[in-house]
């Protein structure tokens, strides 16, 4: 591991806005703020919004700056990425944003049912061959039910035509209420100050001429969710940035 990454990891241990919980720590001790994020961590009552796969944290920071009435939590496994957003929060004194370094597969263990108002899934790996790893699959939507309020909102922002069409079919098949739906966010005129916040990866895709898609829908707490047929969906003809390497998650001290 490079010295720069080690320096970032060391800095993050001292950031008040950052919590780091690898699976072993979570299983052994549980998560201290589960059910009490507002009372014990943010020290104020406000709707909680979670960004999954937050990368460098630009969206979480942008959301927090755009709406001081909500508390925002960015989640990612890549500590070297989260560092950038966390450092901005620390330097600018942003009090309604936090970062959680953890695996999304365990996300329901960090929140009580109903504790979260809204979820953003921003530019995830589309996982074209592995349905179970797709962050908008029924497997993950059922995990989100363990943290979202009833009829809470899930927002997908992606460059992937495959992931967009897959999620759209899944939402329609399960009769979920659609709040926003466009396969060309900036060309459609539907972009607003929130959806126009651009992450590092979004800027990369835009520079490559990729259109940005947005799909927002409500997720009820009850009801069986079923997967759509997707054999006829054309696969993306390009690849995303490589994702998580478990060896990059060194042991961390408890906060």
């Amino acid at each position: 591991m490079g010295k720069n990454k080690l320096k970032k990891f060391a800095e993050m241990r001292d950031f008040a806005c950052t919590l780091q919980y690898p699976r072993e720590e979570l299983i052994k001790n549980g998560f201290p703020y589960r059910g009490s994020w507002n009372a014990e961590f943010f020290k104020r009552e406000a709707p909680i919004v979670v960004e999954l796969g937050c990368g460098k944290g630009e969206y979480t920071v942008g959301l927090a700056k755009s709406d001081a009435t909500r508390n925002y939590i960015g989640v990612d496994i890549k500590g070297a990425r989260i560092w950038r957003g966390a450092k901005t929060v620390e330097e600018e004194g942003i009090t309604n944003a936090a970062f959680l370094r953890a695996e999304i597969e365990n996300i329901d263990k960090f929140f009580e049912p109903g504790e979260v108002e809204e979820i953003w899934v921003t530019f995830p790996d589309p996982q074209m061959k592995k349905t179970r790893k797709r962050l908008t699959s029924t497997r993950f939507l059922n995990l989100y039910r363990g943290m979202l309020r009833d009829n809470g909102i899930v927002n997908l922002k992606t460059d992937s035509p495959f992931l967009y069409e897959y999620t759209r079919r899944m939402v329609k098949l399960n009769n979920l209420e659609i709040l926003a739906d466009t396969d060309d966010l900036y060309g459609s005129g539907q972009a607003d100050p929130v959806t126009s916040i651009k992450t590092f990866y979004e800027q990369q895709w835009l520079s490559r001429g990729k259109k940005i898609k947005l799909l927002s829908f409500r997720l009820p707490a009850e009801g069986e969710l079923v997967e759509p047929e997707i054999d006829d969906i054309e696969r993306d003809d390009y690849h995303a940035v490589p994702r998580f390497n478990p060896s990059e998650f060194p042991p961390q001290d408890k906060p």
Side-chain angles (χ1 to χ4, degrees):
M1 186 180 298
K3 291 183 179 180
N4 193 40
K5 280 190 177 181
L6 290 174
K7 180 181 177 181
K8 289 177 179 179
F9 290 146
E11 282 190 29
M12 285 205 305
R13 291 191 186 98
D14 296 327
F15 287 166
C17 69
T18 304
L19 299 169
Q20 304 190 70
Y21 266 77
R23 183 189 290 114
E24 295 78 11
E25 179 71 21
L26 185 64
I27 292 173
K28 182 179 179 181
N29 298 306
F31 185 67
Y33 299 118
R34 188 173 190 264
S36 61
W37 275 94
N38 281 336
E40 300 296 331
F41 187 85
F42 288 108
K43 309 294 185 182
R44 68 167 196 162
E45 287 300 316
I48 293 175
V49 179
V50 174
E51 182 193 2
L52 300 175
C54 68
K56 294 177 180 289
E58 306 100 313
Y59 219 86
T60 296
V61 171
L63 289 170
K65 287 183 175 182
S66 72
D67 187 356
T69 68
R70 293 183 168 197
N71 293 329
Y72 294 91
I73 303 167
V75 181
D76 205 295
I77 197 65
K78 286 279 192 177
R81 292 177 183 169
I82 287 178
W83 171 85
R84 179 60 271 170
K87 192 169 182 64
T88 298
V89 168
E90 293 287 321
E91 290 178 343
E92 297 187 14
I94 300 170
T95 59
N96 64 326
F99 289 94
L100 174 63
R101 188 178 178 213
E103 295 168 306
I104 295 174
E105 286 84 355
N106 295 316
I107 193 64
D108 59 327
K109 296 177 175 61
F110 293 94
F111 301 92
E112 288 283 0
E115 193 170 10
V116 175
E117 179 95 2
E118 187 171 354
I119 289 173
W120 280 90
V121 183
T122 50
F123 300 93
D125 187 324
Q127 296 288 351
M128 290 181 284
K129 295 182 180 180
K130 300 177 181 178
T131 303
R132 282 181 55 80
K133 289 184 174 294
R134 233 170 269 154
L135 292 188
T136 55
S137 68
T138 55
R139 174 202 176 199
F140 276 96
L141 292 185
N142 281 319
L143 280 180
Y144 304 158
R145 280 175 159 175
M147 55 193 276
L148 271 176
R149 66 173 178 81
D150 188 24
N151 287 312
I153 298 172
V154 177
N155 305 286
L156 170 67
K157 195 177 183 187
T158 181
D159 58 284
S160 168
F162 169 82
L163 184 61
Y164 166 73
E165 181 59 26
Y166 159 79
T167 307
R168 194 166 181 266
R169 290 190 187 187
M170 186 275 301
V171 166
K172 289 191 172 185
L173 178 63
N174 290 283
N175 296 311
L176 305 181
E177 181 185 352
I178 295 175
L179 303 177
D181 180 8
T182 176
D183 65 355
D184 185 5
L185 178 62
Y186 300 111
S188 67
Q190 296 185 42
D192 58 30
V194 169
T195 57
S196 293
I197 299 169
K198 294 181 177 64
T199 69
F200 172 81
Y201 296 103
E202 179 174 357
Q203 292 178 52
Q204 283 192 335
W205 301 133
L206 287 170
S207 70
R208 293 171 62 179
K210 305 300 179 184
K211 293 181 179 179
I212 304 304
K213 299 94 169 62
L214 176 70
L215 182 64
S216 301
F217 56 94
R218 293 191 182 278
L219 183 61
E222 303 293 335
E224 181 182 2
L225 298 172
V226 295
E227 289 287 338
E229 294 291 336
I230 63 169
D231 289 343
D232 62 328
I233 299 180
E234 185 176 351
R235 270 39 178 183
D236 300 339
D237 60 356
Y238 62 99
H239 298 285
V241 176
R243 298 292 176 175
F244 167 55
N245 177 351
S247 67
E248 295 184 10
F249 205 140
Q252 302 292 335
D253 296 330
K254 290 179 64 177

